[in-house]
Amino acid sequence: MSDDILERVVPWPADLAHAYRAAGCWRGRPLGSYLWDWARRRPDRVAIVDGEVRLTYRELAERADGLAAGFAASGLARGDTVLVQLPNQWEFVVVTLACFRLGVAPVMMLPPHREHELASIGAHVRAKALIVPDTLKGYDHQDLAERVAATLPGPARVLVVGDEVRAGNVDVRGLIKQSGDPEARRQWLDEHAPAASDVAVFLLSGGTTGVPKVIGRTHDDYEYNIRRCAAACGFDPDTVYLTVLPAGHNFPLANPGILGALYAGGRAVLLPSPRPEPVFEAIEAEGVTVTSAVPAVVLKWMEAAAASPRDLRTLRHVHVGGSVLAPEVAARIGPSLGCRVQQVYGMAEGLVCYTAPDAADEEAHGTQGRPISPFDELLLVDPDGEPVAPGEVGELLTRGPYTPRGYFGVPEVNRQSFTPDGWFRTGDLVRLTPAGNVVVCGRVKDLINRGGEKISAAEVETLAQELPAVAEAAAVAMPDPALGERVCLFARLHAGHTLTLEQLCAALTARGLAAFKLPERLVVLDAFPHTAVGKADKKVLRTMV
Ligand code: OOB
């Protein structure tokens, strides 16, 4: 990895790294090296399905190698970072694997992200390229990427997946089709592979504040994460995993998700959206055995399933996580969809908990499961940082072989988000059942969880406060039956100013904020409630929502 990246990644202490290696958690192999193992074992099995496109394991490996070589030819090298903003399409998987092969770390942006997110994170990781679709849902991502690239400190290329690649940009499909001797290319990539301790992928923290918080996941730690998740969920060569959540999110990417399905020799089917009817159609057509979703999406499926003519009998499990799933809803999933529910409590920062595939109803419906690794450490503390009594609610701190010791390049944030002895403060309030299952009870971090999309209150407030009309702003969660929470913005205005929700949203959009973060309610107050230290009193504001 380049020195520049290395010095901004917080490593595990050497003795623990040694212990994780000795215990077989970390295998010392870069993720890209698995690609040809898979391809040799099952060359002609279908690995990826995207509409009409069906890629076998051999084709997947060949295309990833072709693209890795193409990346190298277009100037990218081991240690570089690239922003990847692609929808669920086969090229996303090839791009990700090509990055793993070459040792270029993709930063997994989400399709709704705009200038505000792309530019700040691109600058933070010093991205060398942006990989985007030409257009998506009528929005010109190529144009967005060009505008963002122009703001980045180094020269940054724009790589485009699509038919309309403009002059000066790079055609990703063209790179994939690269000619040349595949055997020589494979050897070259093997010889130039990254180290297993390098960052394989950068994930975005759900709780990004004013400062971009990205998590560098190493090849070693992410491989272990994938391997343990696949084992916890019983993934095997018969697994057909349906991807409906944005593939760049940790949950569908690697928990066990797409990479877990490939790891197990199964198949990943990609759909661009979680709309019920196409989902049911895909389950029937492809014999899908497992999928994952956030509670808001599963609720839509449950409503639609009764009226659907599709045969969902192949579906054995649905993994539900990302935000709170009410036990009553969990209990209805089985009867509605004809499958079992596995709850997942996970985070981009690492720790993942799963209920067992065959768990009793009490565990499957009422808990968020157990950590996937015996090396995961969980500590529940009170507001003073003291351990709580068994069975009591506390803030969850965690450490382990796939939970990095810090965010990338933000030492001052790390001093708050991690304890001096390396525990990550999840900001979640949980309790543990006597059997060791986690139950999420609330949270202390200032996040709004909109159907699994995490929105930092601080990020919205900071942008709102920059508007000329706004004297003071505070974003709080307003409860919502479908999404769990939505953003409500409280604002005090400067004398003589007015502000409507439409004006507020237009102004935030103009500042490049992703649409899913826009407030859906604006409350203008003449006077703000304050805490003793003079901060907006969110406890009081929440009672006013
Ligand atoms: C997943 O990852 P992130 O990084 O988008 O968000 C993590 C946060 C957690 O700290 C917690 O506040 C919340 O999302 N959360 C849940 C939950 N699962 C996540 N809250 C209540 N119940 C659950 N089951 O959201 C994520 C990553 C990997 C797998 C699954 C989810």
Side-chain angles (χ1 to χ4, degrees), residues 204-207 215 249-252 255 294-295 320-325 343-354 368 424 426-428 440-443 445 447 449 452-454:
L204 304 191
S205 165
I215 305 118
H249 188 276
N250 192 30
F251 185 13
N255 295 276
V294 293
V320 186
S323 66
V324 174
L325 177 67
Q343 293 205 47
V344 201
Y345 165 63
M347 56 202 71
E349 287 83 354
L351 178 71
V352 185
C353 300
Y354 256 99
Q368 283 67 58
F424 170 58
T426 65
D428 293 319
V440 182
C441 305
R443 71 178 168 253
K445 60 190 169 195
L447 265 192
N449 191 332
E453 306 255 38
K454 315 302 183 310

Side-chain angles (χ1 to χ4, degrees), residues 453-479:
E453 306 255 38
K454 315 302 183 310
I455 303 161
S456 151
E459 186 180 22
V460 179
E461 287 158 7
T462 308
L463 283 182
Q465 246 139 20
E466 287 170 7
L467 306 184
V470 176
E472 196 172 351
V476 299
M478 71 185 157

Side-chain angles (χ1 to χ4, degrees), residues 1-2 5 67-72 74-84 95-108 126-131 159 189 192-195 198-202 217 219:
M1 200 106 250
S2 66
I5 296 270
L67 183 58
F71 281 160
S74 60
L76 291 173
R78 178 180 164 194
D80 286 345
T81 58
V82 299
L83 301 189
V84 174
V95 163
T96 303
L97 295 173
C99 286
F100 291 168
R101 273 302 257 158
L102 192 62
V104 167
V107 187
M108 294 299 182
R126 298 171 198 157
K128 292 280 165 53
L130 295 95
I131 308 184
L159 280 64
L189 288 166
H192 294 80
D198 282 2
V199 171
V201 57
F202 283 104
R217 304 290 301 264
H219 291 266

